[in-house]
Amino acid sequence: MKTKTNRKLTKSNNRVITGVLGGIAEYLQWNATILRVLFVLLTIASHGFGILLYLVLMTIIPSKPENAGLFEQMRQAGQRETPRAQHSEGRKEIHNVHEEDEPRHQD
């Protein structure tokens, strides 16, 4: 079992939901599928405690910089809000439009 001295626990690209269990499996150098099956079995045996644990780990464990999943993108979007004026493209012109009035009914 080779170990890196500079390993860091991060969410994985090998993800089913958020990459938490895949990241733990990479850190421990285990098979991610086996870890997921064990997690489901332990969650069932503990009457759902695993769901709470998963939610906590999902918020604590950081994503890899190149691996921003849905939740990480939402977190980053909240941190880097920019003024709306920078995103404005200005007025748009419409060309080659022919407009006709509706015919009037005479009584």
Side-chain angles (χ1 to χ4, degrees):
M1 187 162 147
K2 296 179 182 179
T3 59
K4 292 181 181 178
T5 57
N6 202 8
R7 284 193 305 176
K8 184 177 178 184
L9 179 60
T10 58
K11 294 178 188 171
S12 173
N13 288 335
N14 183 6
R15 62 177 60 209
V16 173
I17 298 175
T18 61
V20 171
L21 295 175
I24 293 171
E26 286 177 3
Y27 183 78
L28 298 174
Q29 297 178 350
W30 290 3
N31 185 340
T33 305
I34 293 172
L35 184 65
R36 289 182 183 118
V37 169
L38 288 173
F39 181 78
V40 168
L41 292 175
L42 290 173
T43 300
I44 292 170
S46 66
H47 303 289
F49 178 72
I51 296 170
L52 179 64
L53 178 64
Y54 190 90
L55 292 173
V56 169
L57 291 174
M58 181 177 69
T59 57
I60 292 174
I61 298 176
S63 293
K64 294 179 182 175
E66 72 276 358
N67 181 25
L70 174 65
F71 294 106
E72 189 66 26
Q73 289 174 3
M74 288 173 29
R75 183 183 308 155
Q76 290 173 358
Q79 292 174 351
R80 60 177 170 175
E81 292 181 11
T82 56
R84 249 181 116 68
Q86 292 178 356
H87 296 292
S88 176
E89 296 179 11
R91 295 183 77 145
K92 295 183 180 181
E93 295 182 22
I94 301 174
H95 300 282
N96 300 327
V97 176
H98 181 70
E99 185 176 319
E100 294 181 11
D101 291 334
E102 292 182 18
R104 295 185 182 186
H105 298 290
Q106 294 182 355
D107 294 328

